[in-house]
Amino acid sequence: MKHTIRFMVAAVLLCNVAFAQSVDEGRKFFYYEKYNSAKETLEKALAAKPGDVDAAYWLGQTLIELNDIAGAAKVYQTALQAKGSDPLLLVGMGHVELLEHKGNDARQRFETAISLTKGKEVNILNAVGRANVDAADGDAKYAIEKLKQATEVKRFKEPFVYINMGDAYRKLLDGGAAVTAYQNALSLDPNLAEAEYKIGKIYVTQGQEQAGIFLKHYEAALALDPAYAPAYYDLYTYWYSRDVNKARDYFAKYKANTDFTPSVEAEEISLVYASGDFKGAIARADEKLQKEGDNASAKLYRVKAYAYDKLGDSLNALQNMELFFSKGDSSLFLPDNFVKMAEISAKFPDKLEQADSYFDKAIQMDTVVKERVAFATAAANMYKKIDNRAKSADWLTRILSIDTGYGKLDLYYAGWENFYGEKYETADSVFNLYKQKYPDDMQGYYGGFRTKWMADTSAVASGIPSVAPVEDANRFIEIAGVDSVKYKSSLMLAYGYLAGYNANTLKEYEKAIYYLDKMISLDPNNIDAKNNRDILQKALDRPQPKAGAANKSSSTAAKPQKK
């Protein structure tokens, strides 16, 4: 009998060890972002031991990563019914409620879980932090507060608390604090590839000029753990549009270390597109869509759209991009996808209005100022290409609000595009910014002079009084006059305007003659300037009319011209 009891005890212990290993294996799959494998493993673990809280919690987290929010909610609800108010399950349910935009309910569950454990259990505080980082409606500051509380628990040694803390700082756009948190995680576990990888992700947000740094951190992560698939994926996407052979190599390693899903297969077909075989990419995508049906990855429509665009088939490109956005999950959408959709839409008159909304979405997705400026510039260039100068001007002007550190060229292009788009008030405002920031640079004054001149002409025609561009014209002449050869054509315009203004508006013929002489000195063969000077000189030489008599003079007004 004693032998039987010993055998039964040993069997139970072995069963518990095996079960613990299965949960740990599921968590390991989760760490490597092999979510399908994690789901399968944790479902088996939970089926074997329905009351296990860890299995239920991590299965719910896995379903969240697979965008099955309803499935996660069901797992947590079922477990809570069986176990009562278990703190970890409460946090899991709160995570779901954040994703369902039920912030108050979620916060109540978090606080209840923390209260039940007296704020002394690291795994509970860590789970609260993770939930608030992961959900768009989550409170990153609250997450940091609770994660810091976890680090104060006696015998604290959990590196993933610092991983989640770093993610929370990233959510707050505090890159420096995020890097420090990830470094703290490495101090607890020097082989934690995720921490090294996420340090690299911080530098990605600073623009492509930091490529040398973030690529180094990705490679360092793989040196720590050659099975860490997320780093392979980011290296693949970086090289995708730069070196297709390198991209193909990193993708092969990614594929070998992740679950082979329809999404991964779609990426493989995308490499056919990247290699320049556009028709082949379309054929492979169509074959997969026909075979997989609704289970196929929406990425296949994106591949087809880009390939059709390269082949000049805008209609099929548009239709496939529309299918991609309607069938795909938002996690698949990249800023470049919205830019591409905007450019394709602009080729159809009835779709042109939606182009702006797609450019807006691209800008909203990216937090890097230089990238956002690049998207706005792409919008401006697109509208300029189809000769919609007013819309092009709108986007170049918008750049000044996206990047408040704008320089001369930003102001120059925005000002002149508004000028060509006949948006003279905005153009003048932009050139005023130029003059304020660069008071010794002639471009602001020249732009202001030309813009006011055109606006003045429009105002006179409509009977609306305006501000004459005399001050800007004179300041431009003062600066540009030091190199009259280089700026000859621009000076001729300014002298011509001032000559006409003094002759026709002010009736100050001597001043008009002065500016006409300036024109003649620059261009001795200018017949119009000579003739107008002779007319004005004769007017000065003949006897002046008596007081009250009409004073008629010849018109010498120079007409404004487009630049």
Side-chain angles (χ1 to χ4, degrees):
M1 182 66 179
K2 290 182 179 179
H3 291 295
T4 302
I5 293 173
R6 287 173 183 168
F7 174 78
M8 291 175 63
V9 170
V12 169
L13 289 173
L14 286 172
C15 182
N16 287 337
V17 169
F19 176 80
Q21 287 176 337
S22 66
V23 174
D24 288 343
E25 184 181 12
R27 292 184 63 177
K28 185 176 180 181
F29 283 136
F30 184 94
Y31 170 75
Y32 286 113
E33 298 186 6
K34 301 172 73 170
Y35 299 123
N36 287 333
S37 294
K39 177 175 178 286
E40 182 181 354
T41 302
L42 291 165
E43 281 178 339
K44 289 179 180 178
L46 193 58
K49 192 175 181 182
D52 188 86
V53 169
D54 281 344
Y57 173 77
W58 285 105
L59 177 57
Q61 294 297 293
T62 300
L63 292 172
I64 287 171
E65 294 297 333
L66 291 170
N67 294 311
D68 184 1
I69 309 304
K74 184 177 180 180
V75 167
Y76 290 136
Q77 287 166 348
T78 300
L80 282 167
Q81 288 172 1
K83 299 292 292 186
S85 298
D86 181 89
L88 190 57
L89 296 175
L90 286 173
V91 176
M93 195 64 219
H95 192 162
V96 168
E97 287 167 339
L98 278 180
L99 295 169
E100 294 175 336
H101 311 295
K102 300 175 182 176
N104 291 334
D105 292 342
R107 179 63 66 91
Q108 185 175 352
R109 290 190 190 271
F110 297 147
E111 288 298 321
T112 300
I114 293 169
S115 177
L116 287 171
T117 54
K118 299 181 180 180
K120 297 297 183 181
E121 287 197 18
V122 171
N123 68 323
I124 300 302
L125 295 166
N126 191 32
V128 170
R130 185 177 186 283
N132 279 274
V133 171
D134 179 69
D137 288 357
D139 185 341
K141 292 181 179 179
Y142 176 71
I144 291 168
E145 175 190 331
K146 300 308 172 186
L147 292 166
K148 285 185 175 179
Q149 184 177 339
T151 66
E152 296 167 359
V153 174
K154 190 175 181 180
R155 291 188 291 277
F156 167 78
K157 55 181 180 179
E158 176 51 72
F160 287 101
V161 167
Y162 283 120
I163 292 291
N164 290 323
M165 191 183 296
D167 292 348
Y169 279 119
R170 279 182 65 192
K171 192 170 183 177
L172 293 173
L173 305 181
D174 188 344
V179 169
T180 298
Y182 297 139
Q183 289 171 337
N184 287 337
L186 282 169
S187 69
L188 291 176
D189 183 353
N191 295 315
L192 190 60
E194 183 178 3
E196 192 70 55
Y197 164 73
K198 286 188 170 178
I199 291 174
K201 297 288 277 187
I202 295 297
Y203 289 97
V204 171
T205 64
Q206 297 176 18
Q208 291 302 313
E209 64 270 17
Q210 299 295 327
I213 299 177
F214 63 71
L215 292 176
K216 180 184 72 174
H217 283 289
Y218 292 164
E219 295 289 1
L222 293 171
L224 293 176
D225 186 351
Y228 192 68
Y232 287 123
Y233 184 80
D234 278 29
L235 286 164
Y236 150 68
T237 57
Y238 175 80
W239 290 109
Y240 180 84
S241 59
R242 295 172 174 84
D243 186 330
V244 69
N245 291 322
K246 281 188 177 182
R248 190 179 288 112
D249 180 55
Y250 282 118
F251 179 78
K253 293 174 181 176
Y254 169 69
K255 180 180 173 182
N257 288 282
T258 194
D259 291 333
F260 190 67
T261 64
S263 179
V264 174
E265 194 167 12
E267 291 288 356
E268 197 164 36
I269 294 173
S270 180
L271 280 168
V272 178
Y273 162 83
S275 67
D277 184 3
F278 308 129
K279 291 182 179 179
I282 292 169
R284 288 277 303 276
D286 280 336
E287 179 184 358
K288 187 55 58 180
L289 284 166
Q290 186 175 5
K291 181 180 178 181
E292 300 291 337
D294 292 338
N295 293 324
S297 172
K299 290 180 180 180
L300 294 169
Y301 295 109
R302 180 172 62 191
V303 173
K304 289 180 63 181
Y306 276 58
Y308 275 123
D309 185 56
K310 285 289 187 180
L311 293 170
D313 188 342
S314 299
L315 181 58
N316 270 311
L318 178 68
Q319 290 173 345
N320 278 280
M321 282 303 286
E322 288 175 339
L323 285 168
F324 168 63
F325 285 123
S326 65
K327 293 179 177 291
D329 180 81
S330 60
S331 63
L332 300 180
F333 304 159
L334 303 172
D336 177 70
N337 302 155
F338 292 117
V339 172
K340 177 63 69 177
M341 185 58 167
E343 292 172 344
I344 294 172
S345 297
K347 296 176 182 179
F348 300 87
D350 62 327
K351 300 287 186 181
L352 182 59
E353 289 187 5
Q354 72 182 23
D356 270 12
S357 66
Y358 284 112
F359 279 119
D360 279 330
K361 288 176 181 177
I363 289 172
Q364 290 166 8
M365 279 193 72
D366 209 306
T367 58
V368 181
V369 171
K370 289 185 178 180
E371 295 300 321
R372 299 176 77 194
V373 168
F375 297 141
T377 303
N381 291 340
M382 183 199 76
Y383 282 114
K384 186 174 182 179
K385 187 176 181 179
I386 62 176
D387 202 30
N388 190 334
R389 305 304 290 269
K391 290 295 294 182
S392 176
D394 286 343
W395 279 100
L396 288 176
T397 305
R398 185 169 171 181
I399 288 173
L400 306 181
S401 60
I402 293 173
D403 182 5
T404 55
Y406 50 76
K408 289 183 179 181
L409 286 178
D410 300 310
L411 292 165
Y412 178 87
Y413 289 128
W416 283 111
E417 199 64 13
N418 277 283
F419 176 84
Y420 289 127
E422 299 183 4
K423 305 180 74 170
Y424 302 124
E425 184 176 350
T426 304
D428 191 48
S429 296
V430 173
F431 286 124
N432 280 336
L433 289 175
Y434 197 116
K435 288 181 286 186
Q436 292 168 17
K437 194 166 185 178
Y438 306 104
D440 298 323
D441 190 304
M442 68 178 187
Q443 293 295 345
Y445 301 101
Y446 182 65
F449 148 60
R450 293 293 305 282
T451 298
K452 288 185 177 73
W453 187 6
M454 290 299 296
D456 183 59
T457 303
S458 301
V460 169
S462 62
I464 301 173
S466 65
V467 179
V470 176
E471 184 178 340
D472 282 335
N474 279 319
R475 181 64 177 136
F476 164 69
I477 290 170
E478 180 184 347
I479 299 173
V482 299
D483 194 343
S484 58
V485 174
K486 182 177 180 180
Y487 302 113
K488 175 182 173 180
S489 61
S490 300
L491 285 166
M492 289 291 285
L493 282 174
Y495 288 141
Y497 166 76
L498 290 170
Y501 179 74
N502 279 282
N504 299 325
T505 304
L506 302 181
K507 310 301 182 185
E508 295 186 5
Y509 298 156
E510 289 185 1
K511 282 188 177 181
I513 290 172
Y514 168 80
Y515 289 114
L516 288 168
D517 283 339
K518 288 288 188 179
M519 293 179 70
I520 294 168
S521 68
L522 282 177
D523 184 4
N525 297 318
N526 191 306
I527 302 302
D528 289 338
K530 288 181 176 181
N531 289 339
N532 283 323
R533 188 195 185 288
D534 290 342
I535 292 169
L536 290 177
Q537 190 61 56
K538 288 177 182 178
L540 282 174
D541 291 343
R542 65 174 172 255
Q544 297 299 306
K546 295 179 181 180
N551 184 11
K552 298 181 180 179
S553 64
S554 301
S555 173
T556 62
K559 294 181 179 180
Q561 306 168 19
K562 288 291 185 181
K563 179 169 176 284

